[in-house]
Amino acid sequence: MSAKSKLVINVEVDDRTVLFPDGKFLSHIALHDESNSNEELLRLEGVFLFNESRLEPEIVSLPVEDAREFGRSILDAVFQGRTQHVLSERSKIAVVFNPNGFVLRFGEGNALRELFIGSPAIVRLAQGVLRMADRMSALHPH
């Protein structure tokens, strides 16, 4: 059994937060530590306002280092007012800056997921991602 208790961080979003390709409106984004014996992943899940089609809630799962880079890229996009990218062997993310908000593009091709999100909510998302990455990077007690 893990010495760390399970933590779920719920990031409140606003009524302009939508996940495509299925057009699901979100009320929250839940951040989970999805660690196992092989690797530690930070999992982002959508909490949908409706989901009659029973779409899986997962938005993306990221290794800790990619999650940390994702949080930084969000803040870079907000403060610099331009699009940022996270590219690694496991992750392909674009943080697309728009005057009315942001589009987070996860993956590509048929696996592409796009999250439309407003400015105040995206900063809360960055804080949650960086907080969870920090927790996942902490040394385990003996």
Side-chain angles (χ1 to χ4, degrees):
M1 185 169 171
S2 172
K4 286 195 285 189
S5 62
K6 285 290 186 185
L7 174 69
V8 176
I9 297 173
N10 285 308
V11 177
E12 185 177 354
V13 295
D14 60 29
D15 58 357
R16 299 182 305 153
T17 307
V18 186
L19 182 65
F20 284 94
D22 295 304
K24 304 286 188 192
F25 280 79
L26 282 71
S27 65
H28 291 80
I29 297 171
L31 308 175
H32 302 266
D33 174 352
E34 194 176 81
S35 301
N36 59 41
S37 59
N38 297 332
E39 65 182 332
E40 290 192 284
L41 297 173
L42 181 131
R43 178 179 166 112
L44 281 74
E45 292 185 349
V47 178
F48 304 127
L49 291 174
F50 55 86
N51 191 13
E52 294 287 327
S53 63
R54 306 285 188 254
L55 178 71
E56 288 294 318
E58 182 176 353
I59 298 170
V60 69
S61 289
L62 302 170
V64 176
E65 287 306 314
D66 290 354
R68 189 173 286 109
E69 186 62 29
F70 174 50
R72 168 148 188 149
S73 292
I74 289 172
L75 294 173
D76 279 344
V78 170
F79 284 95
Q80 295 180 27
R82 61 186 173 121
T83 297
Q84 301 292 325
H85 295 88
V86 176
L87 300 171
S88 72
E89 289 183 22
R90 295 271 316 265
S91 304
K92 291 182 180 23
I93 305 170
V95 182
V96 181
F97 171 79
N98 291 298
N100 293 320
F102 296 82
V103 179
L104 305 178
R105 303 184 79 195
F106 302 98
E108 57 192 0
N110 291 338
L112 177 66
R113 310 270 295 191
E114 293 180 300
L115 181 66
F116 288 66
I117 186 168
S119 295
I122 199 167
V123 173
R124 289 191 297 271
L125 177 60
Q127 184 203 30
V129 166
L130 292 171
R131 178 180 176 198
M132 187 62 85
D134 180 66
R135 179 183 177 84
M136 293 170 66
S137 299
L139 296 175
H140 298 285
H142 301 318

